[in-house]
Amino acid sequence: MRGAFRILAIGAAMALLPAVAVHGESLFEKLVMPGHVIEGYAKYEKKCESCHEPFSKESQKRLCRDCHKDVTKDIDEKKGMHGKRPDVANAECKHCHTDHKGRKADIIQFDPQTFNHMFTDFELKGSHKQAPCTGCHAPEKKFRSAPAGCIGCHKKDDPHKGELGEDCARCHIEDGWRKPKEFNHAKTKFPLDGA
């Protein structure tokens, strides 16, 4: 009889656990949640099913990709950092992005010193290897929003004022914007004659 009473008492306590609030969270949530999520996901914190399906580890990646459509598109099209890195397609998102680390946590973990730009749509060559990241990547914007073409970054320094189009590689190389030795002024609208 005492064993049945204990089971009944434990069952009743477990049923009431979600209702006992501790600082705005139920005691049950407090016990099972591994920590607060980042600020950007705070609105989903009380809706665990937004990011997790009970008893299914495989579904988490699918749920991440359902919300992060731009990353999903990159992976599907093999573009951008997530699409070009061979280890990303089959990896769990949480391998790199653990979001239960608190409101101010940096879950992107980007290190500009070790990042390999080869795994992007814009491999750094020539002078671009020494260029500061902020030359192309604006602060407070996603890295993916950086311009991919020459004009996107060099429009303000374009001595041609856009008159020669946007195919800068026709005349220039990435090594200091020098004109290659093969450049032939006679093939331009301004052939060099006389002095």
Side-chain angles (χ1 to χ4, degrees), residues 25-41:
E25 296 175 274
S26 74
L27 184 55
F28 180 73
E29 288 171 332
K30 189 92 169 147
L31 290 173
V32 298
M33 187 167 57
H36 290 291
V37 295
I38 62 165
E39 189 68 42
Y41 295 166

Side-chain angles (χ1 to χ4, degrees), residues 96-140:
C96 296
H97 309 290
T98 53
D99 52 7
H100 282 280
K101 297 289 185 184
R103 296 285 190 254
K104 303 291 181 206
D106 174 17
I107 67 163
I108 295 174
Q109 302 175 13
F110 175 74
D111 181 0
Q113 304 302 319
T114 59
F115 182 75
N116 188 344
H117 229 278
M118 181 180 84
F119 295 118
T120 69
D121 295 327
F122 192 87
E123 187 176 345
L124 299 180
K125 297 177 184 170
S127 297
H128 288 120
K129 288 180 182 178
Q130 282 76 42
C133 300
T134 54
C136 297
H137 298 283
E140 306 301 319

Side-chain angles (χ1 to χ4, degrees), residues 32-115:
V32 298
M33 187 167 57
H36 290 291
V37 295
I38 62 165
E39 189 68 42
Y41 295 166
K43 62 185 174 188
Y44 303 112
E45 190 164 73
K46 301 278 187 209
K47 301 175 194 156
C48 302
E49 67 277 3
S50 297
C51 301
H52 306 280
E53 282 182 14
F55 312 109
S56 175
K57 288 184 178 182
E58 293 78 33
S59 67
Q60 188 168 354
K61 178 170 67 172
R62 179 184 53 77
L63 291 169
C64 292
R65 290 180 64 177
D66 283 351
C67 282
H68 296 277
K69 301 221 183 286
D70 50 355
V71 173
T72 298
K73 185 176 182 204
D74 285 350
I75 292 170
D76 292 344
E77 295 177 2
K78 299 193 181 332
K79 293 169 68 177
M81 195 280 296
H82 287 95
K84 292 203 173 202
R85 282 194 53 161
D87 57 335
V88 169
N90 296 319
E92 286 294 323
C93 305
K94 66 183 176 181
H95 177 74
C96 296
H97 309 290
T98 53
D99 52 7
H100 282 280
K101 297 289 185 184
R103 296 285 190 254
K104 303 291 181 206
D106 174 17
I107 67 163
I108 295 174
Q109 302 175 13
F110 175 74
D111 181 0
Q113 304 302 319
T114 59
F115 182 75

Side-chain angles (χ1 to χ4, degrees), residues 172-192:
H172 297 280
I173 56 176
E174 292 173 282
D175 206 7
W177 281 109
R178 296 179 315 204
K179 293 176 185 160
K181 291 177 183 168
E182 306 87 49
F183 183 77
N184 184 350
H185 230 289
K187 293 182 178 180
T188 68
K189 293 179 183 176
F190 189 80
L192 300 179

